[in-house]
């Protein structure tokens, strides 16, 4: 291949390259380009392509999380926090599975997760040529749209409307490669086991993104078809042995997004403009929700899951802020960029993607606030708003040919949109009100009262009064109403007197204009320059490097290992005995009641959580942790706050993932929650 | 003088210098070093030393604000937001002067502001030699303490315990000069007039730090002695004429603090570590308080003033964040520093204060969170906590000789401590609870659960439970209890069973250790290096430059002027007619009822607010704006959000102060609030 040849011509060793190359344990690799030899050499293992195929077919994507098949009857291990929304949706204040755990005595009592979808990656096909041809000679929004349209066509052709499949054109190397990923898709996902929430969240937000940890952050789901468990002969073997430090491990999951090719100029925009806005407004919402949850037991119940999610995102942002103001880390990034630019000058033609990206930054700094507030965060978390926007935009877009639509409404994506839209989900008017007030007031604050878009948003109403009017009048909580509006198309939408629908219709011009401007002036030019950057990287380093994470299936590798750097010094393991020691009795350091009651039955020396050195990022949650024999030994559920810098660059010294062991999960099932039927299913003696 | 000679020797023009020199309109000058000739030349005015003396003696410091004498009977104009705490303290939910305005029909109905103090600067004496000698040869905490002790001695000698005087050693040029400021002090300050709060806060937080504005942010207080108004023959003449664009003006007030000598390294610490922490936790408190205030009318009343104060601080911080991430502004600062360093290398010996300050930064980055959370923000705003800490520390410190105490408890400062401590102030347990929960939980979050200081702070209690226990049990709301504890000294403190007192006692070791470490490793070295920097600056530029603002009386100058830069384009004036146009009826854009009722009596062309170009910073609030004849034409009440960069460097292009005109105040008194007796007292026909 051309890139490899050039790399070889430059005499570049793939293990000592600086930015482009993967150093030991670095990299979130695709399954069709995993560095088998390098990994085997480093770890002393002996994996091969058949091993990779089996691991891939045992790996599951579940919502924004990862998971792994662990029995022949569709049983899947993931994190408890990955099923938290499901648990919340299945609970009421009276029957609150977050408080009690969800421990169905029989398989028949396993309950369907509203809107839950599980997917297994069955095929990877290269579609680079088609995708690159589609954007040829175009720029700005035309470029973005042409690419999106071509992706839509490829996806439609690939899956042809089969609801059991999902086709996704995946952008790798920031446009250097495009692959069509085909998934087997399961929409009947049932909750098979969840522990008491506190057993999973011991230490709460305070222990989140840290180690040592003491969390049984594990749960099981099961995929069904035609009301019967799916037969899954290919699955991980359950290995509940005590883990041993230094053991090589592989982590298979769908890490969400890294941005390791961001230029220094781009990183400064993230540091100076994007993260501060994100974090400051999240912090205010956090304050509002904390106080809201203190107002009544009902509010505490309603707000629990939203607060956990918000605090998780917020703390991840803090870790990223810390990376971007860490002089050492930024010096490393700067040196890597300088090295890359020097090699690029030496090796390539006159293209300068860095300059193109620099030119975008002032515009991005200017447009980020309106774009994020009016488009990506519109509604502030209100489900009614989100449903209304989906309904309004889908109706408007479906009037056009698929290729001309907003990409999320291409024909190939409509069935996923519908299944999410029609899923039963409880909504809480009081919480909707909090979200909408916050969103409207922060939008007004950041864009200013004098911004015509803000005036369109609010008219003469206050954020509070407008929110109250929309929430009180909306009937979208009823899935039948949503379905009728979907099926009625644009005529039904325009005729609707639902105030939320009418409101979303009212603000379409302004919000669509903001999105168009962003795509035209920021996203389009950035995509094109990033693609040139990725091409330059290929020229120099070849695909001996890995692509940024994109929420698709990857394999990482490393060892079970503690940490010994400032602010992060600890061994590789924690035990149940450590949990009893850390407990104070006051939330969030109170041990879950059923877990506490089982204390005498549990060997205090049993390893509970462990740290591993594999490259990681959010979205890896629930990822199966697999040994060289392909057996599952744990589930990734977290990483440390210092590790959040992984978004921008791999730092082997601080990088640690946090794992709940299969041993601890076995203890929970057998000794705490009476789930012996699952223990048997897992094949534990 | 030495510095001038050197500057002359280097051929440096004082109007074209870069960092050190004052460019047109730049500078917050002391009254004993005002550039009379330069200002007269620039503005075409003819002020002299007698003019300066009269303006100084008509200028008043009131709390953290500025103000001006406007009649011979102790009447003082300041901003309404400067009396907001007084109004809140005098109000109940039933009789809420913030809602109705405070419009006493007779002078006898003017009400005393609890804890209110007004001061007039009567004398300035140079004490540089004594102060510099005191620190000679010392470093770290010993240096800090020796300086503080000497300041205490100088202040005691200067004022000799006279309660009608206050002596303050003022550090200028970051230790380049020390001056003893002697103030005539008035502790019976009564509220003479306040408009409806909404008349002053029209537009609320959204219009705060912006222009055009439509705020009657003005109020009157009056100083009393022996229950009679103080006779004040020296005062400003009231000039309520329509203002004219381009008119030269002078602003006399006590700008709080600028940090224009911060090195680039120090600015990065502010940008990367200090402001993010400050802003993020403030944002969460804001969310908690907003929700709290929505819970009941009582809570709305309680939280109004705290929210206004918090939002003001938060937005100022936003303006500062924006300055420090503005590539142009930072390039300007960087160039100025490079110029200064080059001149310093050319002109001076081998000292390198920049390197010394660089060496402090990693330590400051590390220690800022514990220092600010455990010391400067301890209690989170809880009045009970603040009282308890004052009582505990004063009792502990008073056991030592004055020179060995924490500086705030030197003999010379005890009377001010007492008058603040014994003042009647309402407290609200629910609000105390919000503050304490927030403070304890944020401290735990930022320092982590595993920090021994956090463990000392919380023991096995949750922030919520601990706060509830302290608030429920404390009796410090009663001033008599506070007075008894003060008078009982350490024995009474230790014997007290007040849980807040006991709690503060319990955490003294940890919090004092944090403070000591900060003073030893950060404040001491910073002060010494900053002094060397200031000395270097003197060497080069002389006192043709102005010292950083320090909350003491300064005079600035400029013109009435609009603005024409991106994000800030407008004329110099707004009118009452503009107010009616902007009103929507929905808070905060609802016109105050009494003001609205007077609409027909008010000429819509009357200027309401205006912008002026004089150098400004927070603390200038309430500053008299004076014309060349020494007549008062307005009161400074705000500046724009872009102007917040003034903290770090003067930027003439964006710098604008926002002024409420005497004409608008006259309209309010006469046509809206029926305060004809004040109109007469002001000498308006």
């Amino acid at each position: 291949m051309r890139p490899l040849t050039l790399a070889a011509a430059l005499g570049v060793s793939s293990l000592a390259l600086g930015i482009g190359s993967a150093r030991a344990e670095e990299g979130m690799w695709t399954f069709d380009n995993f560095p088998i030899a390098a990994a085997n050499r480093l770890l002393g293992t002996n994996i091969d392509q058949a091993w990779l195929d089996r691991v891939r077919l045992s790996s599951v994507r579940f919502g924004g999380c990862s998971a792994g098949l662990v029995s022949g009857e569709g049983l899947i291990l993931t994190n408890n926090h990955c099923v938290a929304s499901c648990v919340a949706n299945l609970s009421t204040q009276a029957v609150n599975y977050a408080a009690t755990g969800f421990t169905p005595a029989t398989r028949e009592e396993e309950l369907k997760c509203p809107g839950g979808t599980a997917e297994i990656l069955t095929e990877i096909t290269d579609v680079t040529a088609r995708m690159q041809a589609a954007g040829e000679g175009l720029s700005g929004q035309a470029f973005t749209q042409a690419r999106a349209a071509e992706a839509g066509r490829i996806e439609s052709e690939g899956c042809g409307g089969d609801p059991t499949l999902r086709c996704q054109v995946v952008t790798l190397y920031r446009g250097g490669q495009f692959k069509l990923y085909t998934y087997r898709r399961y929409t009947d996902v049932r909750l098979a086991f969840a522990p008491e929430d506190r057993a999973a969240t011991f230490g709460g937000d305070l222990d989140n993104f840290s180690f040592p940890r003491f969390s049984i952050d594990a749960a099981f789901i099961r995929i069904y078809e035609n009301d019967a468990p799916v037969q899954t002969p290919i699955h991980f073997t359950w290995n509940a042995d005590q883990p041993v430090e230094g053991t090589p491990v592989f982590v298979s999951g769908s890490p969400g997004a890294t941005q390791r090719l961001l230029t220094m100029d781009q990183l400064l925009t993230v540091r100076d403009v994007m993260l501060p806005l994100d974090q400051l407004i999240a912090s205010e919402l956090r304050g509002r929700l904390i106080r809201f949850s203190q107002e009544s037991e009902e509010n505490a119940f309603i707000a629990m899951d939203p607060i956990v999610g918000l605090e998780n995102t917020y703390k991840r942002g803090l870790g990223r802020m810390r990376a971007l103001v860490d002089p050492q880390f930024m010096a490393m990034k700067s040196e890597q960029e300088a090295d890359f630019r020097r090699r690029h000058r030496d090796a390539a033609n006159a293209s300068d993607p860095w300059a193109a990206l620099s030119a975008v930054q002032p515009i991005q700094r200017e447009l980020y606030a309106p774009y994020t507030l009016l488009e990506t965060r519109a509604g502030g978390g209100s489900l009614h708003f989100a449903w209304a926007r989906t309904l309004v935009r889908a109706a408007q877009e479906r009037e056009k040919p698929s290729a001309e639509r907003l990409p999320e409404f291409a024909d190939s994506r409509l069935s996923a949109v519908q299944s999410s839209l029609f899923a039963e989900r409880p909504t809480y008017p009081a919480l909707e009100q909090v979200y909408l007030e916050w969103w409207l007031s922060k939008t007004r604050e950041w864009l200013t009262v004098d911004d015509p878009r803000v005036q369109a948003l609010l008219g003469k109403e206050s954020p509070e009064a407008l929110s109250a009017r929309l929430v009180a009048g909306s009937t979208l909580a009823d899935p039948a109403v949503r379905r009728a509006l979907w099926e009625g198309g644009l005529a039904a939408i325009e005729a609707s007197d639902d105030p939320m629908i009418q409101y979303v219709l009212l603000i379409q011009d302004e919000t669509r204009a903001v999105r168009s401007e962003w795509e035209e002036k920021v996203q389009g030019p950035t995509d094109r320059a990033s693609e040139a950057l990725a091409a330059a990287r290929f020229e120099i380093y070849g695909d001996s490097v890995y692509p940024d994470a994109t929420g698709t299936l990857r394999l990482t590798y490393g060892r079970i290992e503690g940490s010994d750097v400032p602010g992060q010094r600890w061994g590789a393991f924690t035990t149940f005995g450590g949990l009893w020691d850390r407990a104070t009795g006051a939330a969030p350091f109170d041990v879950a009641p059923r877990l506490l009651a089982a204390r005498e039955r549990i060997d205090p020396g049993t390893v509970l959580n462990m740290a591993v050195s594999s490259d990681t990022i959010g979205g890896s949650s629930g990822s199966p942790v697999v040994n060289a024999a392909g057996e599952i030994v744990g589930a990734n559920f977290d990483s440390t706050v210092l590790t959040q810098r992984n978004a921008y660059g791999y730092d082997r010294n601080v990088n640690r993932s946090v794992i709940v062991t299969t041993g601890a999960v076995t203890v929970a099932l057998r000794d705490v929650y009476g789930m012996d039927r699952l223990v048997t299913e897992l094949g534990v003696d």
Side-chain angles (χ1 to χ4, degrees), chain A:
Chain A
M1 280 164 65
R2 183 189 53 159
L4 279 175
T5 311
L6 181 60
L10 290 170
V12 174
S13 148
S14 77
L15 285 175
L17 261 186
I19 182 178
S21 75
R23 281 150 302 172
E25 303 172 359
E26 177 174 356
M28 303 174 185
W29 299 89
T30 54
F31 272 77
D32 57 350
N33 187 37
F34 186 81
I36 298 177
N40 280 333
R41 202 160 49 235
L42 182 81
L43 299 175
T45 52
N46 191 27
I47 67 166
D48 56 19
Q49 190 59 46
W51 185 100
L52 288 173
D53 293 345
R54 217 179 64 238
V55 168
R56 171 171 56 80
L57 293 168
S58 304
S59 298
V60 178
R61 187 171 171 194
F62 173 64
C65 279
S66 305
L69 279 162
V70 289
S71 87
E73 299 180 281
L75 189 66
I76 294 170
L77 173 68
T78 188
N79 294 145
N80 184 67
H81 75 261
C82 295
V83 303
S85 298
C86 173
V87 169
N89 289 337
L90 294 176
S91 295
T92 60
Q93 208 182 332
V95 183
N96 183 358
Y97 296 122
T100 61
F102 179 75
T103 53
T106 65
R107 197 172 285 179
E108 288 63 39
E109 293 168 46
E110 296 174 355
L111 293 178
K112 185 172 176 182
C113 286
T117 310
E119 298 175 334
I120 296 171
L121 175 60
T122 53
E123 207 179 332
I124 302 177
T125 319
D126 194 308
V127 294
T128 306
R130 276 188 69 174
M131 286 295 291
Q132 289 186 343
E136 199 74 40
L138 299 175
S139 65
Q141 208 180 4
F143 174 81
T144 310
Q145 204 136 25
R147 280 281 179 84
E150 183 68 7
R153 277 188 294 270
I154 293 170
E155 290 167 359
S156 286
E157 293 164 18
C159 286
D162 183 341
T164 71
L165 298 180
R166 186 167 73 92
C167 279
Q168 177 190 23
V169 171
V170 173
T171 307
L172 299 172
Y173 302 101
R174 303 239 154 229
Q177 282 185 355
F178 295 87
K179 299 281 174 91
L180 174 64
Y181 279 32
T182 307
Y183 301 90
R184 183 70 169 83
R185 187 155 169 270
Y186 301 94
T187 54
D188 184 352
V189 178
R190 303 191 189 176
L191 188 63
F193 164 73
E196 297 153 285
D197 187 75
R198 177 58 82 227
T201 65
F202 178 83
D205 174 61
L206 294 152
D207 274 3
N208 192 19
F209 290 118
S210 75
F211 197 82
R213 286 290 278 287
F214 305 88
S215 304
I216 307 177
D217 194 351
F220 290 91
I221 52 178
R222 191 188 302 277
I223 46 178
Y224 282 73
E225 270 184 331
N226 306 319
D227 226 27
V230 176
Q231 298 304 301
T232 48
I234 301 180
H235 61 82
F236 294 118
T237 299
W238 189 261
N239 179 334
D241 296 345
Q242 281 280 85
V244 175
E245 185 153 11
T247 303
V249 288
F250 300 81
V251 182
S252 168
S254 300
T258 54
Q259 304 176 292
R260 294 189 183 170
L261 277 183
L262 289 184
T263 64
M264 289 305 290
D265 286 330
Q266 290 180 296
L267 287 175
L268 298 190
T269 299
V270 174
R271 182 193 73 188
D272 293 347
V273 178
M274 299 170 73
L275 277 174
L277 188 159
D278 296 349
Q279 294 291 99
L280 286 170
I281 68 173
S283 195
E284 185 184 316
L285 177 60
R286 188 184 182 194
R288 291 180 183 228
L289 286 174
I290 286 172
R291 183 74 203 178
F292 172 83
S293 77
Q294 293 176 332
E295 288 165 7
S296 67
E297 283 195 23
E298 187 187 354
N299 285 8
F301 167 76
I302 293 171
M304 189 183 101
D305 192 39
I307 288 176
V308 167
L310 178 67
E311 288 184 335
N312 189 65
T313 305
Y314 172 78
K315 199 166 188 179
R316 187 189 64 186
L318 271 191
R320 293 180 174 198
M321 289 175 86
R322 283 185 191 153
L324 296 179
V325 302
D326 177 338
Q328 279 81 41
F329 182 75
M330 291 301 271
M332 178 189 91
K333 290 295 296 179
S334 181
E335 284 160 24
Q336 289 175 348
E337 177 166 302
D339 180 71
F340 182 14
R341 294 184 77 156
R342 190 180 49 69
R343 290 174 190 272
H344 177 61
R345 266 199 308 278
D346 294 350
N349 55 30
S351 88
D352 187 352
W354 290 275
L357 288 167
S358 288
V360 172
Q361 299 319 302
I363 307 163
Q364 184 163 345
R365 285 175 177 239
E366 188 69 29
L367 296 184
Y368 181 66
Y371 176 63
T372 194
L373 289 163
L374 293 172
E375 185 65 16
T376 63
R377 296 167 185 275
S382 155
L383 272 176
H384 284 250
F385 183 95
W387 285 324
R389 192 170 70 165
T390 299
L391 285 165
V392 166
R393 287 194 169 173
Q396 292 174 331
E397 295 300 303
R398 281 152 65 212
E399 303 278 305
K400 311 174 195 167
S402 179
E404 291 171 24
R405 296 178 198 161
L406 295 173
E408 65 268 34
F409 299 109
D411 281 335
S412 62
R413 302 193 180 168
L414 288 184
S415 88
V417 171
Q418 287 177 74
S419 72
S420 162
L421 181 66
F422 300 159
E424 288 263 11
R425 291 187 63 180
T427 68
Y428 306 99
L431 183 63
E432 295 279 302
Q433 176 82 17
V434 171
Y435 284 142
L436 285 167
E437 284 180 3
W438 167 75
W439 167 59
L440 289 167
S441 64
K442 292 308 97 181
T443 301
R444 180 172 65 170
E445 177 176 328
W446 283 80
L447 304 187
T448 82
V449 177
D450 298 304
D451 189 310
R453 296 165 299 196
V454 171
Q455 290 161 354
L457 222 55
L458 283 167
K460 297 236 168 197
E461 284 179 292
S462 69
E464 295 73 23
L466 173 58
S467 303
R469 181 170 66 78
L470 297 178
V471 171
S474 179
T475 58
L476 299 178
D478 180 354
V481 170
R482 304 198 292 273
R483 186 179 289 272
L485 283 166
W486 176 277
E487 288 165 358
L490 191 54
I493 293 291
E494 288 177 345
S496 166
D497 60 0
D498 188 288
M500 194 67 87
I501 294 284
Q502 284 307 313
Y503 181 67
V504 169
L505 266 176
L506 177 77
I507 64 173
Q508 275 315 290
D509 287 351
E510 285 76 15
T511 56
R512 283 172 174 262
V514 164
R515 175 168 169 173
S516 294
E517 188 176 17
W518 176 267
E519 289 175 354
E520 174 77 24
K521 297 182 179 168
V522 178
Q523 198 57 57
T526 299
D527 287 349
R528 285 175 65 83
S530 301
E531 190 172 321
L533 204 64
R537 192 154 157 271
F538 263 153
E539 281 292 326
I540 297 168
Y541 306 110
D543 68 357
S544 66
V545 297
Y546 57 92
D548 262 324
T550 52
T552 51
L553 192 65
R554 301 296 176 92
L555 188 66
T556 67
Y557 60 105
R559 292 180 189 275
I560 298 172
E561 188 178 333
S563 172
D564 196 22
V565 297
Q568 193 174 284
R569 297 191 196 281
W570 22 257
F573 300 116
T574 65
T575 63
F576 280 91
L579 168 62
W580 317 133
D581 290 345
R582 191 171 180 82
T584 66
F589 296 99
D590 50 330
V591 178
R594 294 174 73 177
L595 176 55
L596 189 60
R599 176 169 174 171
E600 294 311 316
R601 293 194 292 278
I602 301 171
D603 178 351
T606 302
V607 167
L608 182 43
N609 294 161
M610 64 185 180
V612 309
S613 64
S614 61
D615 201 353
T616 187
I617 198 77
S620 300
S621 279
S623 294
V625 181
V626 182
N627 65 16
E631 299 165 334
I632 190 166
V633 298
N636 193 1
F637 73 92
D638 202 8
S639 57
T640 66
V641 72
L642 287 180
T643 301
Q644 302 320 302
R645 60 187 53 189
N646 259 359
Y648 311 118
Y650 176 78
D651 184 346
R652 202 253 173 250
N653 289 327
V654 305
N655 184 95
R656 289 298 180 276
S657 299
V658 182
I659 314 295
V660 56
T661 62
T662 40
V665 176
T666 304
V667 164
L669 292 174
R670 185 186 56 209
D671 302 328
V672 183
Y673 295 105
M675 295 298 295
D676 301 86
R677 67 177 181 88
L678 289 192
V679 176
T680 305
E681 184 174 348
L682 292 169
V684 179
D685 299 332

